[in-house]
Amino acid sequence: MPSQSTAGFETRDLALVGLSAGLIVALGAVPPIVVGILPVPITLQSFGVMLAGLMFGPKRGALACLTVLALVAAGLPVLSGGRGGLAVFAGPSAGYLIAWAPAAYLIGFLATRAEILRQPLARFAAYLFVTVLGGVIVLNLGGILWLAAVSHISVTTVIAGSLVFMPGDLVKAVLAALVVQRVEALLTLPRV
């Protein structure tokens, strides 16, 4: 996927941000899975965050996440389980939401560096690595630190409870890398 010049945002960029934000919102239609260990559900929206950064680059990916968060702040029920409103940003899962834009930006930024790799397996490995780094580690770090702070539970206890999310997060990262690699084979998507 060739990089686009950084001259500025154009209509196409705005359309891709909207498309990516729409994907994140659509993934929120899948009901959350409550595990019971922590007051944070498993959702598919983190998969959308991974795809936003990996497929559309750092700026578009982060802006897509910020767009969804603006819709949430405006009270629209676009989060998994039909949640929305400012109260969400004071709840136990707010750290994950706050980490969306930085995670998408990091994934997109590092994925643009992987574009020089021509071997499909090497590029897939690079995409998987950056998706795990941003979409698993950064998202969970934001969520863990926030949850520990607002629930007054020790960070180590929250980390132990968060381990239940890891297998699903890793599956999402693998799927995101596979999807983007397949899309790349079909067409060229510029990153910003």
PDB file of all heavy atoms in Angstrom, residues 25 45 65-80 83-89 97 100:
ATOM      1  N   VAL A  25     -18.324   1.410  14.483  1.00  0.00           N
ATOM      2  CA  VAL A  25     -19.697   1.482  15.003  1.00  0.00           C
ATOM      3  C   VAL A  25     -20.443   0.188  14.678  1.00  0.00           C
ATOM      4  O   VAL A  25     -21.138  -0.373  15.533  1.00  0.00           O
ATOM      5  CB  VAL A  25     -20.436   2.712  14.434  1.00  0.00           C
ATOM      6  CG1 VAL A  25     -21.931   2.648  14.734  1.00  0.00           C
ATOM      7  CG2 VAL A  25     -19.832   3.996  14.989  1.00  0.00           C
ATOM      8  N   GLN A  45     -15.263  -4.128  18.888  1.00  0.00           N
ATOM      9  CA  GLN A  45     -14.868  -2.796  18.449  1.00  0.00           C
ATOM     10  C   GLN A  45     -13.357  -2.600  18.488  1.00  0.00           C
ATOM     11  O   GLN A  45     -12.815  -1.831  17.691  1.00  0.00           O
ATOM     12  CB  GLN A  45     -15.611  -1.730  19.244  1.00  0.00           C
ATOM     13  CG  GLN A  45     -17.065  -1.661  18.788  1.00  0.00           C
ATOM     14  CD  GLN A  45     -17.859  -0.581  19.454  1.00  0.00           C
ATOM     15  OE1 GLN A  45     -17.999  -0.574  20.673  1.00  0.00           O
ATOM     16  NE2 GLN A  45     -18.396   0.329  18.667  1.00  0.00           N
ATOM     17  N   CYS A  65     -11.322   6.787  15.123  1.00  0.00           N
ATOM     18  CA  CYS A  65     -11.588   6.490  16.535  1.00  0.00           C
ATOM     19  C   CYS A  65     -12.129   7.710  17.265  1.00  0.00           C
ATOM     20  O   CYS A  65     -13.094   7.604  18.037  1.00  0.00           O
ATOM     21  CB  CYS A  65     -10.311   5.986  17.215  1.00  0.00           C
ATOM     22  SG  CYS A  65      -9.740   4.397  16.606  1.00  0.00           S
ATOM     23  N   LEU A  66     -11.533   8.865  17.006  1.00  0.00           N
ATOM     24  CA  LEU A  66     -12.010  10.095  17.642  1.00  0.00           C
ATOM     25  C   LEU A  66     -13.427  10.444  17.193  1.00  0.00           C
ATOM     26  O   LEU A  66     -14.222  10.965  17.978  1.00  0.00           O
ATOM     27  CB  LEU A  66     -11.043  11.247  17.350  1.00  0.00           C
ATOM     28  CG  LEU A  66      -9.661  11.126  18.004  1.00  0.00           C
ATOM     29  CD1 LEU A  66      -8.736  12.229  17.507  1.00  0.00           C
ATOM     30  CD2 LEU A  66      -9.772  11.140  19.523  1.00  0.00           C
ATOM     31  N   THR A  67     -13.745  10.130  15.941  1.00  0.00           N
ATOM     32  CA  THR A  67     -15.098  10.367  15.433  1.00  0.00           C
ATOM     33  C   THR A  67     -16.106   9.523  16.201  1.00  0.00           C
ATOM     34  O   THR A  67     -17.160  10.018  16.629  1.00  0.00           O
ATOM     35  CB  THR A  67     -15.168  10.052  13.924  1.00  0.00           C
ATOM     36  OG1 THR A  67     -14.263  10.910  13.232  1.00  0.00           O
ATOM     37  CG2 THR A  67     -16.579  10.235  13.384  1.00  0.00           C
ATOM     38  N   VAL A  68     -15.783   8.256  16.396  1.00  0.00           N
ATOM     39  CA  VAL A  68     -16.687   7.372  17.141  1.00  0.00           C
ATOM     40  C   VAL A  68     -16.824   7.864  18.583  1.00  0.00           C
ATOM     41  O   VAL A  68     -17.934   7.899  19.135  1.00  0.00           O
ATOM     42  CB  VAL A  68     -16.211   5.902  17.095  1.00  0.00           C
ATOM     43  CG1 VAL A  68     -17.083   5.022  17.972  1.00  0.00           C
ATOM     44  CG2 VAL A  68     -16.205   5.389  15.661  1.00  0.00           C
ATOM     45  N   LEU A  69     -15.719   8.265  19.186  1.00  0.00           N
ATOM     46  CA  LEU A  69     -15.780   8.755  20.568  1.00  0.00           C
ATOM     47  C   LEU A  69     -16.584  10.049  20.668  1.00  0.00           C
ATOM     48  O   LEU A  69     -17.277  10.274  21.668  1.00  0.00           O
ATOM     49  CB  LEU A  69     -14.368   8.939  21.125  1.00  0.00           C
ATOM     50  CG  LEU A  69     -13.560   7.658  21.280  1.00  0.00           C
ATOM     51  CD1 LEU A  69     -12.164   7.954  21.800  1.00  0.00           C
ATOM     52  CD2 LEU A  69     -14.272   6.655  22.169  1.00  0.00           C
ATOM     53  N   ALA A  70     -16.535  10.886  19.634  1.00  0.00           N
ATOM     54  CA  ALA A  70     -17.363  12.099  19.620  1.00  0.00           C
ATOM     55  C   ALA A  70     -18.845  11.729  19.553  1.00  0.00           C
ATOM     56  O   ALA A  70     -19.683  12.363  20.202  1.00  0.00           O
ATOM     57  CB  ALA A  70     -16.969  12.996  18.447  1.00  0.00           C
ATOM     58  N   LEU A  71     -19.163  10.703  18.767  1.00  0.00           N
ATOM     59  CA  LEU A  71     -20.551  10.229  18.693  1.00  0.00           C
ATOM     60  C   LEU A  71     -21.008   9.692  20.049  1.00  0.00           C
ATOM     61  O   LEU A  71     -22.143   9.924  20.476  1.00  0.00           O
ATOM     62  CB  LEU A  71     -20.692   9.151  17.620  1.00  0.00           C
ATOM     63  CG  LEU A  71     -20.435   9.585  16.176  1.00  0.00           C
ATOM     64  CD1 LEU A  71     -20.436   8.381  15.243  1.00  0.00           C
ATOM     65  CD2 LEU A  71     -21.444  10.624  15.739  1.00  0.00           C
ATOM     66  N   VAL A  72     -20.114   8.980  20.732  1.00  0.00           N
ATOM     67  CA  VAL A  72     -20.426   8.463  22.070  1.00  0.00           C
ATOM     68  C   VAL A  72     -20.676   9.631  23.015  1.00  0.00           C
ATOM     69  O   VAL A  72     -21.664   9.644  23.759  1.00  0.00           O
ATOM     70  CB  VAL A  72     -19.268   7.570  22.600  1.00  0.00           C
ATOM     71  CG1 VAL A  72     -19.480   7.222  24.067  1.00  0.00           C
ATOM     72  CG2 VAL A  72     -19.133   6.307  21.764  1.00  0.00           C
ATOM     73  N   ALA A  73     -19.786  10.620  22.996  1.00  0.00           N
ATOM     74  CA  ALA A  73     -19.917  11.787  23.877  1.00  0.00           C
ATOM     75  C   ALA A  73     -21.212  12.546  23.597  1.00  0.00           C
ATOM     76  O   ALA A  73     -21.817  13.114  24.515  1.00  0.00           O
ATOM     77  CB  ALA A  73     -18.712  12.705  23.717  1.00  0.00           C
ATOM     78  N   ALA A  74     -21.652  12.531  22.337  1.00  0.00           N
ATOM     79  CA  ALA A  74     -22.900  13.213  21.973  1.00  0.00           C
ATOM     80  C   ALA A  74     -24.128  12.433  22.434  1.00  0.00           C
ATOM     81  O   ALA A  74     -25.254  12.903  22.285  1.00  0.00           O
ATOM     82  CB  ALA A  74     -22.956  13.428  20.463  1.00  0.00           C
ATOM     83  N   GLY A  75     -23.911  11.244  22.972  1.00  0.00           N
ATOM     84  CA  GLY A  75     -25.014  10.466  23.514  1.00  0.00           C
ATOM     85  C   GLY A  75     -25.540   9.372  22.606  1.00  0.00           C
ATOM     86  O   GLY A  75     -26.504   8.697  22.949  1.00  0.00           O
ATOM     87  N   LEU A  76     -24.936   9.206  21.441  1.00  0.00           N
ATOM     88  CA  LEU A  76     -25.407   8.153  20.538  1.00  0.00           C
ATOM     89  C   LEU A  76     -24.975   6.785  21.055  1.00  0.00           C
ATOM     90  O   LEU A  76     -23.842   6.603  21.497  1.00  0.00           O
ATOM     91  CB  LEU A  76     -24.867   8.383  19.130  1.00  0.00           C
ATOM     92  CG  LEU A  76     -25.349   9.669  18.466  1.00  0.00           C
ATOM     93  CD1 LEU A  76     -24.644   9.862  17.137  1.00  0.00           C
ATOM     94  CD2 LEU A  76     -26.849   9.646  18.273  1.00  0.00           C
ATOM     95  N   PRO A  77     -25.858   5.807  20.994  1.00  0.00           N
ATOM     96  CA  PRO A  77     -25.561   4.469  21.533  1.00  0.00           C
ATOM     97  C   PRO A  77     -24.756   3.613  20.550  1.00  0.00           C
ATOM     98  O   PRO A  77     -25.228   2.584  20.068  1.00  0.00           O
ATOM     99  CB  PRO A  77     -26.957   3.888  21.779  1.00  0.00           C
ATOM    100  CG  PRO A  77     -27.802   4.520  20.717  1.00  0.00           C
ATOM    101  CD  PRO A  77     -27.240   5.912  20.540  1.00  0.00           C
ATOM    102  N   VAL A  78     -23.536   4.040  20.242  1.00  0.00           N
ATOM    103  CA  VAL A  78     -22.741   3.364  19.219  1.00  0.00           C
ATOM    104  C   VAL A  78     -21.729   2.369  19.785  1.00  0.00           C
ATOM    105  O   VAL A  78     -21.064   1.672  19.025  1.00  0.00           O
ATOM    106  CB  VAL A  78     -22.027   4.381  18.301  1.00  0.00           C
ATOM    107  CG1 VAL A  78     -23.046   5.208  17.530  1.00  0.00           C
ATOM    108  CG2 VAL A  78     -21.092   5.280  19.092  1.00  0.00           C
ATOM    109  N   LEU A  79     -21.628   2.295  21.096  1.00  0.00           N
ATOM    110  CA  LEU A  79     -20.733   1.307  21.686  1.00  0.00           C
ATOM    111  C   LEU A  79     -21.448  -0.028  21.837  1.00  0.00           C
ATOM    112  O   LEU A  79     -22.684  -0.081  21.885  1.00  0.00           O
ATOM    113  CB  LEU A  79     -20.216   1.780  23.048  1.00  0.00           C
ATOM    114  CG  LEU A  79     -19.293   2.988  23.028  1.00  0.00           C
ATOM    115  CD1 LEU A  79     -18.909   3.383  24.456  1.00  0.00           C
ATOM    116  CD2 LEU A  79     -18.045   2.710  22.206  1.00  0.00           C
ATOM    117  N   SER A  80     -20.682  -1.068  21.922  1.00  0.00           N
ATOM    118  CA  SER A  80     -21.250  -2.396  22.076  1.00  0.00           C
ATOM    119  C   SER A  80     -22.198  -2.424  23.270  1.00  0.00           C
ATOM    120  O   SER A  80     -21.911  -1.861  24.322  1.00  0.00           O
ATOM    121  CB  SER A  80     -20.113  -3.405  22.285  1.00  0.00           C
ATOM    122  OG  SER A  80     -20.605  -4.710  22.272  1.00  0.00           O
ATOM    123  N   ARG A  83     -24.351   1.321  24.369  1.00  0.00           N
ATOM    124  CA  ARG A  83     -23.929   2.345  25.323  1.00  0.00           C
ATOM    125  C   ARG A  83     -23.510   3.621  24.604  1.00  0.00           C
ATOM    126  O   ARG A  83     -23.028   3.583  23.481  1.00  0.00           O
ATOM    127  CB  ARG A  83     -22.764   1.838  26.189  1.00  0.00           C
ATOM    128  CG  ARG A  83     -23.145   0.654  27.052  1.00  0.00           C
ATOM    129  CD  ARG A  83     -21.965   0.066  27.823  1.00  0.00           C
ATOM    130  NE  ARG A  83     -20.914  -0.354  26.894  1.00  0.00           N
ATOM    131  CZ  ARG A  83     -19.636  -0.016  27.030  1.00  0.00           C
ATOM    132  NH1 ARG A  83     -19.244   0.726  28.037  1.00  0.00           N
ATOM    133  NH2 ARG A  83     -18.743  -0.438  26.151  1.00  0.00           N
ATOM    134  N   GLY A  84     -23.676   4.732  25.281  1.00  0.00           N
ATOM    135  CA  GLY A  84     -23.274   6.033  24.772  1.00  0.00           C
ATOM    136  C   GLY A  84     -23.491   7.076  25.844  1.00  0.00           C
ATOM    137  O   GLY A  84     -24.095   6.800  26.872  1.00  0.00           O
ATOM    138  N   GLY A  85     -23.000   8.265  25.614  1.00  0.00           N
ATOM    139  CA  GLY A  85     -23.149   9.344  26.587  1.00  0.00           C
ATOM    140  C   GLY A  85     -21.869   9.589  27.359  1.00  0.00           C
ATOM    141  O   GLY A  85     -20.963   8.753  27.382  1.00  0.00           O
ATOM    142  N   LEU A  86     -21.804  10.732  27.991  1.00  0.00           N
ATOM    143  CA  LEU A  86     -20.592  11.123  28.714  1.00  0.00           C
ATOM    144  C   LEU A  86     -20.284  10.208  29.893  1.00  0.00           C
ATOM    145  O   LEU A  86     -19.121  10.065  30.274  1.00  0.00           O
ATOM    146  CB  LEU A  86     -20.715  12.575  29.191  1.00  0.00           C
ATOM    147  CG  LEU A  86     -20.647  13.637  28.099  1.00  0.00           C
ATOM    148  CD1 LEU A  86     -20.888  15.030  28.675  1.00  0.00           C
ATOM    149  CD2 LEU A  86     -19.313  13.582  27.373  1.00  0.00           C
ATOM    150  N   ALA A  87     -21.292   9.588  30.476  1.00  0.00           N
ATOM    151  CA  ALA A  87     -21.061   8.708  31.631  1.00  0.00           C
ATOM    152  C   ALA A  87     -20.130   7.555  31.283  1.00  0.00           C
ATOM    153  O   ALA A  87     -19.418   7.048  32.157  1.00  0.00           O
ATOM    154  CB  ALA A  87     -22.390   8.176  32.164  1.00  0.00           C
ATOM    155  N   VAL A  88     -20.108   7.147  30.025  1.00  0.00           N
ATOM    156  CA  VAL A  88     -19.234   6.048  29.595  1.00  0.00           C
ATOM    157  C   VAL A  88     -17.775   6.391  29.877  1.00  0.00           C
ATOM    158  O   VAL A  88     -16.973   5.525  30.213  1.00  0.00           O
ATOM    159  CB  VAL A  88     -19.447   5.753  28.093  1.00  0.00           C
ATOM    160  CG1 VAL A  88     -18.419   4.796  27.554  1.00  0.00           C
ATOM    161  CG2 VAL A  88     -20.846   5.223  27.853  1.00  0.00           C
ATOM    162  N   PHE A  89     -17.435   7.695  29.765  1.00  0.00           N
ATOM    163  CA  PHE A  89     -16.050   8.110  29.956  1.00  0.00           C
ATOM    164  C   PHE A  89     -15.644   8.180  31.432  1.00  0.00           C
ATOM    165  O   PHE A  89     -14.493   8.486  31.735  1.00  0.00           O
ATOM    166  CB  PHE A  89     -15.803   9.451  29.266  1.00  0.00           C
ATOM    167  CG  PHE A  89     -15.942   9.347  27.774  1.00  0.00           C
ATOM    168  CD1 PHE A  89     -17.079   9.829  27.138  1.00  0.00           C
ATOM    169  CD2 PHE A  89     -14.963   8.740  27.007  1.00  0.00           C
ATOM    170  CE1 PHE A  89     -17.221   9.720  25.763  1.00  0.00           C
ATOM    171  CE2 PHE A  89     -15.096   8.621  25.633  1.00  0.00           C
ATOM    172  CZ  PHE A  89     -16.228   9.105  25.009  1.00  0.00           C
ATOM    173  N   LEU A  97     -11.353   2.977  25.833  1.00  0.00           N
ATOM    174  CA  LEU A  97     -11.849   3.934  24.840  1.00  0.00           C
ATOM    175  C   LEU A  97     -10.840   5.054  24.602  1.00  0.00           C
ATOM    176  O   LEU A  97     -10.586   5.442  23.458  1.00  0.00           O
ATOM    177  CB  LEU A  97     -13.183   4.528  25.285  1.00  0.00           C
ATOM    178  CG  LEU A  97     -14.332   3.546  25.501  1.00  0.00           C
ATOM    179  CD1 LEU A  97     -15.560   4.278  26.038  1.00  0.00           C
ATOM    180  CD2 LEU A  97     -14.650   2.797  24.233  1.00  0.00           C
ATOM    181  N   TRP A 100      -8.082   4.089  22.286  1.00  0.00           N
ATOM    182  CA  TRP A 100      -8.392   3.767  20.881  1.00  0.00           C
ATOM    183  C   TRP A 100      -7.555   4.575  19.895  1.00  0.00           C
ATOM    184  O   TRP A 100      -6.901   4.008  19.022  1.00  0.00           O
ATOM    185  CB  TRP A 100      -9.869   4.020  20.596  1.00  0.00           C
ATOM    186  CG  TRP A 100     -10.796   2.920  20.976  1.00  0.00           C
ATOM    187  CD1 TRP A 100     -10.524   1.805  21.709  1.00  0.00           C
ATOM    188  CD2 TRP A 100     -12.179   2.846  20.640  1.00  0.00           C
ATOM    189  NE1 TRP A 100     -11.657   1.047  21.860  1.00  0.00           N
ATOM    190  CE2 TRP A 100     -12.682   1.665  21.210  1.00  0.00           C
ATOM    191  CE3 TRP A 100     -13.030   3.671  19.932  1.00  0.00           C
ATOM    192  CZ2 TRP A 100     -14.009   1.278  21.071  1.00  0.00           C
ATOM    193  CZ3 TRP A 100     -14.360   3.288  19.797  1.00  0.00           C
ATOM    194  CH2 TRP A 100     -14.832   2.101  20.358  1.00  0.00           C
TER     195      TRP A 100
END
